[in-house]
Amino acid sequence: MGILENKSNARLFYKYLSKVYDQVNRFTWTEEMRAEALSWLEFGDDPKVLDVGCGTGFATEGLLEHADDIHGLDQSVHQMEKAFEKFGKRDRVNFYRGDAERLPFRDDTFDIVWSSGSIEYWPNPIEGLRELRRVAKPGGQVLVVGPDYPHNPVLQRVADAIMLFYDEDEADRMFEAAGYETYEHHIQQSTPRSPRAITTVARIPEE
């Protein structure tokens, strides 16, 4: 387990990173990548959407282009304070402080469940994926963005020491263990030299 797959370490890390997160984030997770990921979702009419690990609200901002009923959850109050500055606490988005592995929502609540840049910090990613599936409605979609496992052996050792990085085979294992049946992986990258993201879009079976 990487050092940041510990919740208290991750909260401390984001206490300081929150000050510059939006500036740093744009080099690895861009508006163009976000728009591409959003294009893989089917929002339908009046969708209810959850953004798990919403952080400063970068993904939330994109989701607001497609839906009005948005709910954002994060464990870092410092990250969410940046989101409050953008959207207010109870204005355009309903925010909650909480844990991705114990979501404070009922079963079958959301049409879309989105999580970008969060799974790499979960101590138990399979449990987190089960939670995303639990709160998604039958026929809804779950989208998860995480860091793709690097090919360079030196970078692999660094990645393993920090947090969860995973390739498509590991993504298959995690999603299947969490009970998903229908899903597809996409590799996204802002530039040929930048870190790659692995984005998985899953469909919840109809009842």
Side-chain angles (χ1 to χ4, degrees), residues 168-185:
E168 293 188 48
D169 289 341
E170 179 64 9
D172 284 343
R173 186 191 71 79
M174 292 191 301
F175 275 83
E176 288 171 9
Y180 292 84
E181 299 175 6
T182 304
Y183 56 84
E184 57 184 17
H185 309 303

Side-chain angles (χ1 to χ4, degrees), residues 99-118:
D99 189 334
E101 296 172 9
R102 293 187 297 275
L103 293 175
F105 307 107
R106 295 180 179 178
D107 295 0
D108 308 338
T109 298
F110 298 96
D111 300 286
I112 301 288
V113 180
W114 170 292
S115 183
S116 55
S118 182

Side-chain angles (χ1 to χ4, degrees), residues 3-15 18 50-56 72-81 83-84 95-105 115-124:
I3 189 173
L4 292 181
E5 289 174 87
N6 175 288
K7 292 175 185 178
S8 61
N9 289 346
R11 283 193 294 269
L12 181 62
F13 174 71
Y14 273 110
K15 177 180 179 180
S18 63
L50 174 64
D51 183 3
V52 176
C54 61
T56 63
L73 176 141
D74 203 279
Q75 70 159 344
S76 169
V77 67
H78 299 94
Q79 287 281 85
M80 286 196 297
E81 283 173 351
F84 298 159
F95 287 104
Y96 312 82
R97 187 177 184 186
D99 189 334
E101 296 172 9
R102 293 187 297 275
L103 293 175
F105 307 107
S115 183
S116 55
S118 182
I119 188 173
E120 56 264 39
Y121 303 106
W122 302 349
N124 189 339

Side-chain angles (χ1 to χ4, degrees), residues 32-51:
E32 291 76 17
M33 293 167 72
R34 181 185 67 188
E36 183 179 38
L38 287 164
S39 74
W40 297 324
L41 296 174
E42 299 170 12
F43 285 90
D45 297 326
D46 300 319
K48 189 171 186 176
V49 179
L50 174 64
D51 183 3

Side-chain angles (χ1 to χ4, degrees), residues 83-195:
F84 298 159
E85 293 173 6
K86 299 174 185 177
F87 311 113
K89 284 188 179 182
R90 297 285 175 182
D91 186 8
R92 300 181 66 196
V93 180
N94 291 305
F95 287 104
Y96 312 82
R97 187 177 184 186
D99 189 334
E101 296 172 9
R102 293 187 297 275
L103 293 175
F105 307 107
R106 295 180 179 178
D107 295 0
D108 308 338
T109 298
F110 298 96
D111 300 286
I112 301 288
V113 180
W114 170 292
S115 183
S116 55
S118 182
I119 188 173
E120 56 264 39
Y121 303 106
W122 302 349
N124 189 339
I126 293 172
E127 186 58 36
L129 291 173
R130 286 195 187 109
E131 279 290 273
L132 303 191
R133 184 180 185 279
R134 178 184 67 79
V135 302
K137 293 179 182 179
Q141 290 175 284
V142 172
L143 182 145
V144 178
V145 183
D148 187 44
Y149 198 62
H151 298 298
N152 183 293
V154 174
L155 294 179
Q156 288 175 354
R157 289 195 292 272
V158 174
D160 291 340
I162 298 174
M163 58 190 182
L164 175 67
F165 286 72
Y166 57 95
D167 59 15
E168 293 188 48
D169 289 341
E170 179 64 9
D172 284 343
R173 186 191 71 79
M174 292 191 301
F175 275 83
E176 288 171 9
Y180 292 84
E181 299 175 6
T182 304
Y183 56 84
E184 57 184 17
H185 309 303
H186 306 266
I187 299 298
Q188 296 183 274
Q189 192 173 23
S190 60
T191 70
R193 298 194 175 196
S194 63

